[in-house]
Amino acid sequence: MFGLEALELARVQFAFTITFHIIFPAITIGLASYLAVLEALWLKTKQEVYRDLYHFWLKIFAVNFGMGVVSGIVMAYQFGTNWSAYSEFAGSVTGPLLTYEVLTAFFLEAGFLGVMLFGWNRVGPKLHFFSTVMVAVGTLISTFWILASNSWMHTPQGHEIIDGVVVPVDWLAIIFNPSFPYRLAHMSVAAFLATAFFVGASAAWHLLRGKDNPAIRKMLSMAMWMALLVAPVQAVIGDFHGLNTLEYQPAKIAAMEGHWDNSEGGPTPLLLFGWPDMEAEETRYKIEIPYLASLILNHSLTEPIPALKDFPPEDRPNSTIVFWTFRIMVALGLLMIITGIWSLLLRRGDRLYSSRAFLRMVLLMGPSGIIAILAGWYTTEIGRQPWVIYGLMRTADAVSNHGAGQLGLTLAMFVVVYFAVFGIGMVYVLRLVKKGPVISEGREKGAGGPGEARTPMRPISAADEAINHEQGDQLGERN
């Protein structure tokens, strides 16, 4: 298919499916915590705006959660179908780690998700809030185990190789491998930022079209506080993550920087732009800032960073791709910081909700969090090549014994099905966003909370349904 071999097709298929999959958990992680905050604020203040936002975003959360589960199952199957040699070699590590995710996060989410989605006027307020918090905690626990498994593939430790397979000897060392803390923090914060800009863009879209109400304003305000406070923190985490990568995966750093040669000695400049040419072993059309790469990565004005020519050609990642995916991620991160600072300046002039230039900026930044996550994921995974487990197993040795025709056919099927199923799901989510939160008017203060009379939630349909208020009052008294 397109002249690609079985290995290349297997990699493309995995990249394609994970590109779709990662969108949904990222938004789900952020929205789950956002919903917990909204319900906490509702219970504390009884302000209707928080309840209205909770029910609006709960519908979107439900759709994202469902699509994330379905796409995640496909990812798990690929380990056995397309990467069976990897599973045979390292399954004793990755298998239990994924099992721990199911036994902790999945069971926790499954146990409380139904109460969260359908129990608003069926259980008491404390139990409902507890269920929302447990679902949010479950998403973070799931992130913990997934990144523990993936991080071990980047910085493996706590194992021995006996009879050609990996045997765990220290589970704490396996889980808390050297890159895990940085990757966990980096991905979790990225999910919060992606959700913040998704929420902010939704509010900006409505404000630009003249729909101005307390719920829309609250959405924008909360999103911009998140951007202002958390985006700079993400930059600091990214710096620590880069230093960790320099220590354990120096070839990846060389590829990210497009740096080829240290023969002349001296500090390494930072390349702002350029085109790394893997065949010519040079970066063309480069624009550089002297000393800056050494200063950022080595905190030194004299010590160079590793160069690609320090490694055999067969051990070099594809710098052409990694160079640019890394810069896309960093550029979007800087724009997030700028957007947060701009929002603070507008707050001081009471123009946060009226500056059309700012609102257009926030709207354009809506997908920035997801794009940055994808760019960072590509940087991480392509930068690890040619290793599937860094230093232990090459990607070429991990693939199943399938022909190119088989993999090409399944890849084509994935493309058709994914765009049909998940494309429709994404369109539906955007339609929910377009509809906007339903504003409560004229309702007695305090009515409509968990255990009280209110229109029941149907998160997949987003349709209102009449309710017998006498029955609702009985439910509230009962709980």
Side-chain angles (χ1 to χ4, degrees):
M1 183 178 183
F2 303 114
L4 299 177
E5 298 180 354
L7 172 62
E8 296 166 324
L9 287 168
R11 291 182 61 190
V12 170
Q13 185 177 123
F14 197 86
F16 175 79
T17 53
I18 201 170
T19 297
F20 267 86
H21 172 67
I22 202 171
I23 295 172
F24 307 120
I27 297 299
T28 299
I29 293 166
L31 278 184
S33 295
Y34 182 48
L35 288 168
V37 171
L38 288 173
E39 188 166 7
L41 291 172
W42 153 250
L43 292 173
K44 180 179 180 180
T45 67
K46 293 300 180 181
Q47 293 182 24
E48 294 179 350
V49 63
Y50 295 117
R51 179 198 56 208
D52 296 336
L53 286 177
Y54 180 92
H55 287 287
F56 171 64
W57 286 107
L58 183 63
K59 301 167 187 175
I60 297 170
F61 169 83
V63 178
N64 270 277
F65 188 92
M67 291 192 291
V69 170
V70 172
S71 59
I73 292 174
V74 174
M75 297 295 304
Y77 273 112
Q78 284 191 63
F79 286 113
T81 56
N82 292 354
W83 304 98
S84 58
Y86 162 78
S87 298
E88 183 179 357
F89 177 72
S92 57
V93 169
T94 58
L97 292 178
L98 296 179
T99 301
Y100 298 152
E101 184 212 1
V102 174
L103 293 176
T104 55
F106 188 77
F107 282 2
L108 186 66
E109 293 167 341
F112 289 99
L113 183 64
V115 179
M116 177 186 178
L117 294 178
F118 306 109
W120 183 263
N121 55 346
R122 292 177 172 83
V123 301
K126 292 182 180 179
L127 176 56
H128 192 275
F129 175 61
F130 181 75
S131 299
T132 302
V133 172
M134 288 300 99
V135 172
V137 170
T139 63
L140 294 174
I141 293 176
S142 179
T143 306
F144 178 96
W145 290 115
I146 293 296
L147 287 178
S149 177
N150 184 264
S151 297
W152 180 83
M153 296 166 67
H154 287 265
T155 51
Q157 65 174 25
H159 65 275
E160 294 180 359
I161 298 179
I162 301 175
D163 296 330
V165 297
V166 172
V167 177
V169 295
D170 186 344
W171 278 108
L172 287 179
I174 289 172
I175 295 170
F176 298 99
N177 57 80
S179 65
F180 170 68
Y182 306 99
R183 290 164 55 77
L184 177 64
H186 201 46
M187 181 62 197
S188 300
V189 173
F192 293 145
L193 282 173
T195 303
F197 277 94
F198 178 39
V199 172
S202 303
W205 190 89
H206 287 287
L207 288 169
L208 285 169
R209 280 151 184 80
K211 186 176 181 180
D212 188 349
N213 58 54
I216 299 297
R217 290 191 169 211
K218 186 64 68 175
M219 283 165 55
L220 181 64
S221 178
M222 295 179 74
M224 290 303 100
W225 279 123
M226 177 66 78
L228 176 66
L229 300 175
V230 178
V233 173
Q234 179 73 319
V236 175
I237 296 172
D239 180 64
F240 282 109
H241 188 14
L243 296 177
N244 177 264
T245 305
L246 176 64
E247 179 179 358
Y248 291 96
Q249 294 178 304
K252 181 188 293 185
I253 290 293
M256 290 162 54
E257 297 300 325
H259 181 54
W260 287 93
D261 195 356
N262 279 332
S263 60
E264 296 181 1
T268 305
L270 177 69
L271 302 187
L272 294 178
F273 300 99
W275 189 262
D277 189 327
M278 296 299 292
E279 293 185 3
E281 297 187 341
E282 65 174 321
T283 299
R284 304 180 185 275
Y285 320 115
K286 57 188 178 183
I287 300 175
E288 60 187 33
I289 301 177
Y291 301 98
L292 193 54
S294 291
L295 182 62
I296 293 174
L297 288 164
N298 289 325
H299 297 170
S300 168
L301 290 174
T302 58
E303 186 178 350
I305 67 170
L308 282 167
K309 289 185 178 179
D310 295 340
F311 308 93
E314 64 273 14
D315 290 345
R316 299 171 188 169
N318 189 320
S319 181
T320 310
I321 299 176
V322 173
F323 180 90
W324 279 106
T325 54
F326 176 69
R327 275 149 185 77
I328 290 172
M329 178 186 67
V330 171
L332 290 174
L334 292 175
L335 287 174
M336 291 177 187
I337 295 173
I338 292 171
T339 304
I341 295 173
W342 192 0
S343 72
L344 180 64
L345 297 176
L346 291 175
R347 285 181 196 274
R348 301 180 66 177
D350 197 24
R351 297 182 59 240
L352 180 67
Y353 311 107
S354 59
S355 172
R356 296 189 69 82
F358 172 74
L359 293 176
R360 291 191 187 97
M361 175 71 170
V362 175
L363 181 60
L364 291 173
M365 289 292 290
S368 63
I370 292 297
I371 296 173
I373 287 174
L374 291 173
W377 195 261
Y378 294 154
T379 301
T380 297
E381 300 305 311
I382 297 174
R384 181 183 58 192
Q385 299 302 316
W387 304 97
V388 66
I389 305 175
Y390 198 79
L392 293 182
M393 186 181 201
R394 291 183 178 270
T395 307
D397 299 326
V399 70
S400 301
N401 187 24
H402 295 318
Q406 294 171 306
L407 286 165
L409 176 61
T410 55
L411 174 58
M413 294 173 62
F414 272 121
V415 171
V416 172
V417 172
Y418 268 53
F419 275 107
V421 175
F422 298 120
I424 292 173
M426 291 178 181
V427 170
Y428 181 70
V429 166
L430 293 178
R431 286 185 177 179
L432 290 177
V433 171
K434 182 180 179 180
K435 190 173 183 179
V438 177
I439 305 303
S440 303
E441 294 181 359
R443 185 179 287 125
E444 181 183 353
K445 184 177 180 181
E452 301 180 28
R454 189 190 182 280
T455 301
M457 283 303 302
R458 292 168 56 188
I460 305 302
S461 68
D464 291 334
E465 179 179 302
I467 185 172
N468 184 306
H469 289 280
E470 181 179 352
Q471 180 183 3
D473 292 337
Q474 294 173 357
L475 284 169
E477 294 174 0
R478 186 182 307 163
N479 292 283

